Amino acid sequence: MKKPKGEVWFLASCVELYKNQKGMSGQDAYNHLRKTGAVDFITDCWDGLHTTSPPYIIGSIDEYIQNHANVQ
């Protein structure tokens, strides 16, 4: 299923935020988010998350990874 354009832009923004917060490259950040399932979390919840602040978004991603991911 094709993702809405806003959802794709939001995912890219989240990868950028995450890489800057964690001191990673963009590719490493995306790979980590993909491997942990956080990409699906971000795209599934984008309509609510995109209205929040960057610190809240990063906190939500970290919490998701901590509670749901098999790989840290």
Side-chain angles (χ1 to χ4, degrees):
M1 182 175 183
K2 191 172 180 177
K3 303 265 187 222
K5 190 174 185 177
E7 192 174 319
V8 174
W9 281 103
F10 180 67
L11 175 59
S13 297
C14 289
V15 171
E16 186 72 12
L17 286 171
Y18 194 81
K19 82 168 184 84
N20 290 338
Q21 180 69 27
K22 305 299 181 183
M24 306 168 91
S25 72
Q27 187 65 56
D28 288 343
Y30 178 78
N31 290 341
H32 179 70
L33 295 173
R34 185 58 139 171
K35 187 164 68 169
T36 60
V39 165
D40 292 331
F41 166 73
I42 293 165
T43 57
D44 289 347
C45 299
W46 85 277
D47 55 337
L49 280 176
H50 86 278
T51 63
T52 64
S53 68
Y56 183 88
I57 292 167
I58 296 299
S60 295
I61 293 168
D62 285 340
E63 184 177 340
Y64 176 85
I65 291 170
Q66 181 179 14
N67 293 324
H68 297 94
N70 294 326
V71 180
Q72 293 294 321

